[in-house]
Amino acid sequence: MKTSKAVEFIVDWIKKYKETNRINGFVVGVSGGVDSALTSTLCAMTGIKTLCINMPIRQKKEQYLRANNHINWLKDKFKNVNSLDLDLTNVFNEFKSSVENNSQVNNLALANSRSRIRMTTLYYYAGIDNCIVVGTGNKVEDFGIGFYTKYGDGGVDISPIADLMKSEVFEISKALGINDEIIKAKPTDGLWDDGRTDEDQIGATYRDLELIMDILEKGINPNDINDDLKDKYNVYIKHHNANKHKMVDIPVCKIPKELKL
């Protein structure tokens, strides 16, 4: 990848969106992971007002500190960056207590609820001053396996890095000098008390998923896939099919004209 040119292209793309849509700035949730670190850095590089929000919910201390350190690094480098530190643990605990008293407990639904609480918070602050929420998803997650929460971290206005593979996210992040502690940290969505990583949940590495996506984009017949990758292909397809509803337009029931007369 031509890293410097790619960075220039993305930053210019973000600027043009701002100018075309007459918004005042950007709001980015910063988690301590590489995707949100890169996204917030690219927004900061536009020179346009950027609000970074750290929103711990029962967060592992190291995740919270990585996010905080990154935000401070950005604020030292870019005068257009401001930040908020909002502990949403009590909000989540109240929600959890309410639903547990009235329904069967579902841990995945609760995990996704953390993401949706954060989304609501981002849009609250975006709405205060005509700003937009900037997505932090990469191509593997957003268009490969649908590894995100619908109307959670998937609820955004623009997605500057959604055409970058995870490996490209790391490559650009290193080039921009993003903190080494973020680069070295195992990717995690931060939605589980046990701190499980993304790859633990997915059942494959990002590298393997990228290989499968590359094979499919080249139109290679899945039956011809190397035996070593067939298990990973099956993992990819399982997630892709299960999460396809996130990656396509919302179905609309089109009423025939004759029924509207």
Short mmCIF file of all heavy atoms in Angstrom, two decimals, residues 115-172:
data_model
loop_
_atom_site.label_atom_id
_atom_site.label_comp_id
_atom_site.label_asym_id
_atom_site.label_seq_id
_atom_site.Cartn_x
_atom_site.Cartn_y
_atom_site.Cartn_z
N SER A 115 -22.70 -1.71 23.28
CA SER A 115 -22.37 -0.96 22.07
C SER A 115 -23.47 0.03 21.71
O SER A 115 -23.19 1.15 21.26
CB SER A 115 -22.15 -1.95 20.91
OG SER A 115 -21.70 -1.29 19.75
N ARG A 116 -24.71 -0.35 21.92
CA ARG A 116 -25.83 0.54 21.57
C ARG A 116 -25.93 1.71 22.54
O ARG A 116 -26.34 2.81 22.15
CB ARG A 116 -27.12 -0.26 21.51
CG ARG A 116 -27.11 -1.25 20.33
CD ARG A 116 -28.37 -2.06 20.20
NE ARG A 116 -28.27 -2.91 19.01
CZ ARG A 116 -28.38 -4.23 19.03
NH1 ARG A 116 -28.61 -4.88 20.18
NH2 ARG A 116 -28.27 -4.92 17.91
N ILE A 117 -25.58 1.50 23.79
CA ILE A 117 -25.53 2.61 24.75
C ILE A 117 -24.47 3.62 24.33
O ILE A 117 -24.67 4.84 24.39
CB ILE A 117 -25.27 2.08 26.17
CG1 ILE A 117 -26.50 1.35 26.71
CG2 ILE A 117 -24.88 3.23 27.13
CD1 ILE A 117 -26.25 0.57 27.99
N ARG A 118 -23.33 3.11 23.88
CA ARG A 118 -22.27 4.00 23.41
C ARG A 118 -22.71 4.77 22.16
O ARG A 118 -22.42 5.96 22.02
CB ARG A 118 -21.00 3.19 23.11
CG ARG A 118 -20.34 2.62 24.37
CD ARG A 118 -19.04 1.93 24.01
NE ARG A 118 -18.36 1.43 25.21
CZ ARG A 118 -18.04 0.16 25.42
NH1 ARG A 118 -18.30 -0.75 24.51
NH2 ARG A 118 -17.44 -0.21 26.53
N MET A 119 -23.39 4.08 21.25
CA MET A 119 -23.87 4.75 20.04
C MET A 119 -24.80 5.90 20.41
O MET A 119 -24.71 7.00 19.87
CB MET A 119 -24.59 3.74 19.13
CG MET A 119 -25.15 4.33 17.84
SD MET A 119 -26.81 5.03 18.00
CE MET A 119 -27.77 3.55 18.30
N THR A 120 -25.72 5.66 21.33
CA THR A 120 -26.65 6.70 21.77
C THR A 120 -25.90 7.90 22.34
O THR A 120 -26.25 9.06 22.07
CB THR A 120 -27.62 6.14 22.83
OG1 THR A 120 -28.35 5.05 22.28
CG2 THR A 120 -28.60 7.20 23.30
N THR A 121 -24.85 7.62 23.08
CA THR A 121 -24.04 8.68 23.68
C THR A 121 -23.33 9.50 22.61
O THR A 121 -23.31 10.74 22.66
CB THR A 121 -22.99 8.07 24.63
OG1 THR A 121 -23.66 7.28 25.62
CG2 THR A 121 -22.18 9.15 25.32
N LEU A 122 -22.75 8.83 21.62
CA LEU A 122 -22.07 9.53 20.54
C LEU A 122 -23.03 10.45 19.79
O LEU A 122 -22.69 11.60 19.47
CB LEU A 122 -21.45 8.52 19.57
CG LEU A 122 -20.27 7.69 20.11
CD1 LEU A 122 -19.90 6.60 19.11
CD2 LEU A 122 -19.06 8.57 20.40
N TYR A 123 -24.22 9.96 19.51
CA TYR A 123 -25.18 10.78 18.77
C TYR A 123 -25.72 11.92 19.61
O TYR A 123 -26.08 12.99 19.07
CB TYR A 123 -26.31 9.92 18.20
CG TYR A 123 -25.95 9.37 16.84
CD1 TYR A 123 -25.47 8.09 16.69
CD2 TYR A 123 -26.04 10.18 15.71
CE1 TYR A 123 -25.10 7.60 15.45
CE2 TYR A 123 -25.67 9.71 14.46
CZ TYR A 123 -25.20 8.41 14.34
OH TYR A 123 -24.83 7.95 13.11
N TYR A 124 -25.77 11.75 20.91
CA TYR A 124 -26.18 12.87 21.77
C TYR A 124 -25.21 14.03 21.61
O TYR A 124 -25.62 15.17 21.37
CB TYR A 124 -26.23 12.43 23.24
CG TYR A 124 -26.44 13.59 24.18
CD1 TYR A 124 -27.71 14.12 24.38
CD2 TYR A 124 -25.36 14.19 24.83
CE1 TYR A 124 -27.90 15.22 25.22
CE2 TYR A 124 -25.54 15.28 25.67
CZ TYR A 124 -26.81 15.78 25.85
OH TYR A 124 -26.99 16.88 26.67
N TYR A 125 -23.92 13.73 21.70
CA TYR A 125 -22.92 14.79 21.60
C TYR A 125 -22.79 15.32 20.18
O TYR A 125 -22.52 16.50 19.97
CB TYR A 125 -21.58 14.32 22.15
CG TYR A 125 -21.58 14.31 23.66
CD1 TYR A 125 -21.81 13.14 24.37
CD2 TYR A 125 -21.43 15.49 24.38
CE1 TYR A 125 -21.87 13.13 25.75
CE2 TYR A 125 -21.49 15.50 25.76
CZ TYR A 125 -21.70 14.33 26.45
OH TYR A 125 -21.77 14.34 27.82
N ALA A 126 -22.99 14.47 19.18
CA ALA A 126 -22.97 14.94 17.80
C ALA A 126 -24.11 15.91 17.55
O ALA A 126 -23.96 16.92 16.83
CB ALA A 126 -23.06 13.75 16.84
N GLY A 127 -25.26 15.64 18.17
CA GLY A 127 -26.44 16.48 17.95
C GLY A 127 -26.36 17.84 18.59
O GLY A 127 -27.08 18.77 18.20
N ILE A 128 -25.48 17.99 19.56
CA ILE A 128 -25.37 19.26 20.26
C ILE A 128 -24.88 20.38 19.34
O ILE A 128 -25.33 21.53 19.42
CB ILE A 128 -24.43 19.12 21.48
CG1 ILE A 128 -25.12 18.27 22.56
CG2 ILE A 128 -24.04 20.48 22.04
CD1 ILE A 128 -24.23 17.97 23.75
N ASP A 129 -23.96 20.02 18.42
CA ASP A 129 -23.35 21.07 17.62
C ASP A 129 -23.23 20.68 16.14
O ASP A 129 -22.21 20.94 15.50
CB ASP A 129 -21.96 21.43 18.18
CG ASP A 129 -21.38 22.68 17.55
OD1 ASP A 129 -22.16 23.55 17.10
OD2 ASP A 129 -20.14 22.81 17.50
N ASN A 130 -24.26 20.06 15.60
CA ASN A 130 -24.31 19.73 14.18
C ASN A 130 -23.06 18.98 13.72
O ASN A 130 -22.43 19.32 12.71
CB ASN A 130 -24.49 21.00 13.33
CG ASN A 130 -24.77 20.69 11.87
OD1 ASN A 130 -25.44 19.71 11.55
ND2 ASN A 130 -24.23 21.51 10.97
N CYS A 131 -22.70 17.95 14.47
CA CYS A 131 -21.56 17.11 14.10
C CYS A 131 -22.07 15.74 13.63
O CYS A 131 -23.27 15.46 13.71
CB CYS A 131 -20.62 16.93 15.29
SG CYS A 131 -19.79 18.45 15.79
N ILE A 132 -21.16 14.91 13.16
CA ILE A 132 -21.52 13.57 12.73
C ILE A 132 -20.70 12.53 13.49
O ILE A 132 -19.60 12.82 13.97
CB ILE A 132 -21.34 13.36 11.22
CG1 ILE A 132 -19.88 13.58 10.80
CG2 ILE A 132 -22.29 14.25 10.44
CD1 ILE A 132 -19.59 13.16 9.37
N VAL A 133 -21.26 11.33 13.59
CA VAL A 133 -20.57 10.21 14.23
C VAL A 133 -19.75 9.48 13.17
O VAL A 133 -20.28 9.08 12.13
CB VAL A 133 -21.57 9.25 14.90
CG1 VAL A 133 -20.84 8.01 15.45
CG2 VAL A 133 -22.33 9.97 16.02
N VAL A 134 -18.48 9.30 13.45
CA VAL A 134 -17.57 8.67 12.49
C VAL A 134 -17.35 7.21 12.87
O VAL A 134 -16.96 6.90 14.00
CB VAL A 134 -16.22 9.41 12.44
CG1 VAL A 134 -15.30 8.77 11.39
CG2 VAL A 134 -16.45 10.89 12.12
N GLY A 135 -17.61 6.31 11.92
CA GLY A 135 -17.44 4.88 12.16
C GLY A 135 -15.99 4.47 12.19
O GLY A 135 -15.13 5.08 11.55
N THR A 136 -15.72 3.39 12.92
CA THR A 136 -14.34 2.92 13.09
C THR A 136 -14.14 1.50 12.56
O THR A 136 -13.10 0.90 12.80
CB THR A 136 -13.94 2.97 14.59
OG1 THR A 136 -14.77 2.08 15.33
CG2 THR A 136 -14.07 4.38 15.15
N GLY A 137 -15.11 0.97 11.83
CA GLY A 137 -15.01 -0.40 11.36
C GLY A 137 -14.09 -0.54 10.15
O GLY A 137 -14.01 0.36 9.31
N ASN A 138 -13.40 -1.68 10.06
CA ASN A 138 -12.56 -1.98 8.90
C ASN A 138 -13.30 -2.89 7.93
O ASN A 138 -14.42 -3.32 8.19
CB ASN A 138 -11.22 -2.60 9.34
CG ASN A 138 -11.42 -3.89 10.10
OD1 ASN A 138 -11.85 -4.91 9.55
ND2 ASN A 138 -11.12 -3.89 11.39
N LYS A 139 -12.67 -3.20 6.80
CA LYS A 139 -13.34 -3.95 5.73
C LYS A 139 -13.67 -5.38 6.13
O LYS A 139 -14.73 -5.90 5.76
CB LYS A 139 -12.45 -3.96 4.48
CG LYS A 139 -13.13 -4.55 3.25
CD LYS A 139 -12.26 -4.36 2.01
CE LYS A 139 -12.97 -4.87 0.76
NZ LYS A 139 -12.16 -4.64 -0.45
N VAL A 140 -12.79 -6.03 6.87
CA VAL A 140 -13.03 -7.42 7.28
C VAL A 140 -14.30 -7.50 8.13
O VAL A 140 -15.16 -8.36 7.92
CB VAL A 140 -11.83 -7.99 8.06
CG1 VAL A 140 -12.12 -9.42 8.53
CG2 VAL A 140 -10.57 -7.96 7.21
N GLU A 141 -14.42 -6.56 9.06
CA GLU A 141 -15.55 -6.58 9.99
C GLU A 141 -16.84 -6.07 9.33
O GLU A 141 -17.90 -6.66 9.49
CB GLU A 141 -15.22 -5.73 11.21
CG GLU A 141 -14.07 -6.29 12.03
CD GLU A 141 -13.48 -5.31 13.01
OE1 GLU A 141 -13.89 -4.13 13.01
OE2 GLU A 141 -12.59 -5.72 13.77
N ASP A 142 -16.72 -4.97 8.57
CA ASP A 142 -17.92 -4.33 8.04
C ASP A 142 -18.51 -5.03 6.83
O ASP A 142 -19.73 -5.04 6.64
CB ASP A 142 -17.62 -2.87 7.68
CG ASP A 142 -17.58 -1.96 8.90
OD1 ASP A 142 -17.64 -2.49 10.03
OD2 ASP A 142 -17.52 -0.74 8.72
N PHE A 143 -17.65 -5.61 5.98
CA PHE A 143 -18.14 -6.18 4.73
C PHE A 143 -17.77 -7.64 4.52
O PHE A 143 -18.21 -8.25 3.55
CB PHE A 143 -17.64 -5.35 3.54
CG PHE A 143 -18.12 -3.94 3.58
CD1 PHE A 143 -17.26 -2.90 3.87
CD2 PHE A 143 -19.46 -3.65 3.36
CE1 PHE A 143 -17.71 -1.59 3.93
CE2 PHE A 143 -19.92 -2.34 3.41
CZ PHE A 143 -19.04 -1.31 3.70
N GLY A 144 -16.97 -8.18 5.43
CA GLY A 144 -16.60 -9.59 5.33
C GLY A 144 -17.48 -10.47 6.20
O GLY A 144 -18.29 -11.25 5.70
N ILE A 145 -17.32 -10.31 7.52
CA ILE A 145 -18.03 -11.21 8.44
C ILE A 145 -19.09 -10.51 9.28
O ILE A 145 -19.73 -11.14 10.12
CB ILE A 145 -17.02 -11.93 9.37
CG1 ILE A 145 -16.20 -10.94 10.17
CG2 ILE A 145 -16.12 -12.86 8.55
CD1 ILE A 145 -15.35 -11.57 11.25
N GLY A 146 -19.28 -9.22 9.08
CA GLY A 146 -20.32 -8.51 9.84
C GLY A 146 -20.06 -8.54 11.34
O GLY A 146 -20.99 -8.67 12.13
N PHE A 147 -18.80 -8.36 11.73
CA PHE A 147 -18.44 -8.44 13.14
C PHE A 147 -18.57 -7.08 13.80
O PHE A 147 -17.60 -6.36 14.05
CB PHE A 147 -17.01 -8.99 13.28
CG PHE A 147 -16.60 -9.30 14.70
CD1 PHE A 147 -17.18 -10.35 15.39
CD2 PHE A 147 -15.64 -8.55 15.34
CE1 PHE A 147 -16.81 -10.64 16.69
CE2 PHE A 147 -15.25 -8.84 16.65
CZ PHE A 147 -15.84 -9.88 17.32
N TYR A 148 -19.80 -6.69 14.03
CA TYR A 148 -20.10 -5.44 14.72
C TYR A 148 -21.54 -5.50 15.20
O TYR A 148 -22.30 -6.41 14.82
CB TYR A 148 -19.88 -4.22 13.81
CG TYR A 148 -20.72 -4.22 12.55
CD1 TYR A 148 -21.99 -3.65 12.53
CD2 TYR A 148 -20.23 -4.77 11.37
CE1 TYR A 148 -22.75 -3.64 11.36
CE2 TYR A 148 -20.98 -4.77 10.20
CZ TYR A 148 -22.24 -4.21 10.21
OH TYR A 148 -22.99 -4.21 9.06
N THR A 149 -21.92 -4.56 16.02
CA THR A 149 -23.28 -4.54 16.56
C THR A 149 -24.17 -3.67 15.68
O THR A 149 -23.88 -2.49 15.46
CB THR A 149 -23.28 -3.99 18.00
OG1 THR A 149 -22.48 -4.83 18.83
CG2 THR A 149 -24.70 -3.95 18.56
N LYS A 150 -25.23 -4.27 15.19
CA LYS A 150 -26.20 -3.51 14.40
C LYS A 150 -26.81 -2.41 15.27
O LYS A 150 -27.29 -2.67 16.38
CB LYS A 150 -27.29 -4.47 13.90
CG LYS A 150 -28.15 -3.91 12.77
CD LYS A 150 -29.05 -5.03 12.24
CE LYS A 150 -29.82 -4.60 11.00
NZ LYS A 150 -30.66 -5.70 10.47
N TYR A 151 -26.76 -1.17 14.77
CA TYR A 151 -27.22 0.00 15.52
C TYR A 151 -26.44 0.20 16.82
O TYR A 151 -26.93 0.83 17.76
CB TYR A 151 -28.73 -0.06 15.78
CG TYR A 151 -29.51 -0.22 14.51
CD1 TYR A 151 -30.30 -1.34 14.29
CD2 TYR A 151 -29.42 0.73 13.49
CE1 TYR A 151 -30.98 -1.51 13.10
CE2 TYR A 151 -30.11 0.56 12.30
CZ TYR A 151 -30.88 -0.56 12.11
OH TYR A 151 -31.55 -0.73 10.92
N GLY A 152 -25.22 -0.35 16.84
CA GLY A 152 -24.29 -0.08 17.93
C GLY A 152 -23.11 0.62 17.30
O GLY A 152 -23.23 1.75 16.81
N ASP A 153 -21.96 -0.08 17.22
CA ASP A 153 -20.82 0.51 16.51
C ASP A 153 -21.06 0.52 15.00
O ASP A 153 -20.31 1.16 14.26
CB ASP A 153 -19.52 -0.22 16.85
CG ASP A 153 -19.61 -1.74 16.68
OD1 ASP A 153 -20.70 -2.30 16.84
OD2 ASP A 153 -18.57 -2.36 16.40
N GLY A 154 -22.13 -0.15 14.55
CA GLY A 154 -22.52 -0.07 13.15
C GLY A 154 -23.41 1.13 12.86
O GLY A 154 -23.71 1.43 11.70
N GLY A 155 -23.85 1.84 13.89
CA GLY A 155 -24.69 3.02 13.72
C GLY A 155 -23.84 4.27 13.60
O GLY A 155 -23.51 4.89 14.60
N VAL A 156 -23.49 4.63 12.37
CA VAL A 156 -22.57 5.75 12.14
C VAL A 156 -23.03 6.55 10.91
O VAL A 156 -23.92 6.13 10.18
CB VAL A 156 -21.13 5.25 11.92
CG1 VAL A 156 -20.64 4.46 13.13
CG2 VAL A 156 -21.01 4.38 10.66
N ASP A 157 -22.36 7.69 10.69
CA ASP A 157 -22.69 8.54 9.55
C ASP A 157 -21.72 8.35 8.38
O ASP A 157 -22.14 8.39 7.23
CB ASP A 157 -22.70 10.01 9.98
CG ASP A 157 -23.81 10.30 10.97
OD1 ASP A 157 -24.97 9.97 10.67
OD2 ASP A 157 -23.52 10.85 12.04
N ILE A 158 -20.45 8.20 8.68
CA ILE A 158 -19.46 7.94 7.63
C ILE A 158 -18.48 6.88 8.13
O ILE A 158 -18.31 6.70 9.34
CB ILE A 158 -18.68 9.20 7.20
CG1 ILE A 158 -17.88 9.80 8.37
CG2 ILE A 158 -19.62 10.23 6.59
CD1 ILE A 158 -16.94 10.92 7.95
N SER A 159 -17.82 6.19 7.19
CA SER A 159 -16.88 5.12 7.53
C SER A 159 -15.57 5.30 6.76
O SER A 159 -15.40 4.73 5.68
CB SER A 159 -17.49 3.75 7.23
OG SER A 159 -18.61 3.49 8.04
N PRO A 160 -14.65 6.07 7.29
CA PRO A 160 -13.42 6.39 6.55
C PRO A 160 -12.47 5.21 6.32
O PRO A 160 -11.71 5.22 5.36
CB PRO A 160 -12.73 7.45 7.42
CG PRO A 160 -13.79 7.95 8.33
CD PRO A 160 -14.73 6.82 8.55
N ILE A 161 -12.49 4.20 7.19
CA ILE A 161 -11.52 3.11 7.04
C ILE A 161 -12.17 1.79 6.66
O ILE A 161 -11.54 0.74 6.72
CB ILE A 161 -10.66 2.93 8.32
CG1 ILE A 161 -11.51 2.41 9.49
CG2 ILE A 161 -9.95 4.22 8.69
CD1 ILE A 161 -10.66 1.91 10.66
N ALA A 162 -13.42 1.83 6.23
CA ALA A 162 -14.16 0.59 5.95
C ALA A 162 -13.73 -0.08 4.65
O ALA A 162 -14.23 -1.17 4.35
CB ALA A 162 -15.66 0.85 5.94
N ASP A 163 -12.82 0.52 3.91
CA ASP A 163 -12.28 -0.15 2.73
C ASP A 163 -10.83 -0.61 2.98
O ASP A 163 -10.14 -1.02 2.07
CB ASP A 163 -12.32 0.78 1.51
CG ASP A 163 -12.12 0.02 0.20
OD1 ASP A 163 -12.65 -1.10 0.08
OD2 ASP A 163 -11.43 0.55 -0.70
N LEU A 164 -10.41 -0.55 4.24
CA LEU A 164 -9.07 -1.01 4.62
C LEU A 164 -9.15 -2.36 5.31
O LEU A 164 -9.94 -2.55 6.24
CB LEU A 164 -8.40 -0.02 5.57
CG LEU A 164 -8.07 1.38 5.05
CD1 LEU A 164 -7.51 2.23 6.18
CD2 LEU A 164 -7.10 1.32 3.88
N MET A 165 -8.33 -3.30 4.87
CA MET A 165 -8.19 -4.56 5.59
C MET A 165 -7.54 -4.28 6.95
O MET A 165 -6.90 -3.26 7.15
CB MET A 165 -7.34 -5.55 4.79
CG MET A 165 -8.00 -6.06 3.52
SD MET A 165 -9.43 -7.10 3.86
CE MET A 165 -9.64 -7.91 2.26
N LYS A 166 -7.69 -5.22 7.87
CA LYS A 166 -7.11 -5.03 9.20
C LYS A 166 -5.60 -4.83 9.11
O LYS A 166 -5.03 -3.99 9.82
CB LYS A 166 -7.42 -6.24 10.08
CG LYS A 166 -7.10 -6.04 11.56
CD LYS A 166 -8.13 -5.18 12.24
CE LYS A 166 -8.00 -5.19 13.75
NZ LYS A 166 -9.07 -4.45 14.41
N SER A 167 -4.93 -5.59 8.23
CA SER A 167 -3.48 -5.45 8.09
C SER A 167 -3.12 -4.05 7.59
O SER A 167 -2.09 -3.49 7.99
CB SER A 167 -2.94 -6.51 7.12
OG SER A 167 -3.55 -6.40 5.85
N GLU A 168 -3.96 -3.47 6.73
CA GLU A 168 -3.72 -2.12 6.24
C GLU A 168 -3.94 -1.08 7.33
O GLU A 168 -3.25 -0.05 7.38
CB GLU A 168 -4.61 -1.85 5.03
CG GLU A 168 -4.27 -2.71 3.82
CD GLU A 168 -5.27 -2.60 2.70
OE1 GLU A 168 -6.48 -2.46 2.98
OE2 GLU A 168 -4.85 -2.66 1.53
N VAL A 169 -4.91 -1.36 8.21
CA VAL A 169 -5.12 -0.47 9.36
C VAL A 169 -3.86 -0.42 10.23
O VAL A 169 -3.41 0.66 10.63
CB VAL A 169 -6.33 -0.94 10.19
CG1 VAL A 169 -6.41 -0.18 11.52
CG2 VAL A 169 -7.63 -0.77 9.41
N PHE A 170 -3.28 -1.58 10.48
CA PHE A 170 -2.05 -1.64 11.26
C PHE A 170 -0.91 -0.92 10.54
O PHE A 170 -0.13 -0.18 11.16
CB PHE A 170 -1.65 -3.09 11.55
CG PHE A 170 -2.36 -3.70 12.71
CD1 PHE A 170 -3.32 -4.69 12.52
CD2 PHE A 170 -2.08 -3.30 14.01
CE1 PHE A 170 -3.98 -5.26 13.60
CE2 PHE A 170 -2.73 -3.85 15.10
CZ PHE A 170 -3.69 -4.85 14.90
N GLU A 171 -0.81 -1.14 9.25
CA GLU A 171 0.28 -0.54 8.46
C GLU A 171 0.22 0.98 8.52
O GLU A 171 1.24 1.65 8.75
CB GLU A 171 0.17 -1.02 7.01
CG GLU A 171 1.24 -0.48 6.08
CD GLU A 171 1.06 -0.96 4.65
OE1 GLU A 171 0.35 -1.97 4.43
OE2 GLU A 171 1.62 -0.31 3.75
N ILE A 172 -0.95 1.55 8.31
CA ILE A 172 -1.10 3.00 8.32
C ILE A 172 -0.92 3.55 9.73
O ILE A 172 -0.29 4.60 9.93
CB ILE A 172 -2.48 3.41 7.76
CG1 ILE A 172 -2.55 3.04 6.27
CG2 ILE A 172 -2.72 4.90 7.94
CD1 ILE A 172 -3.91 3.30 5.64
#
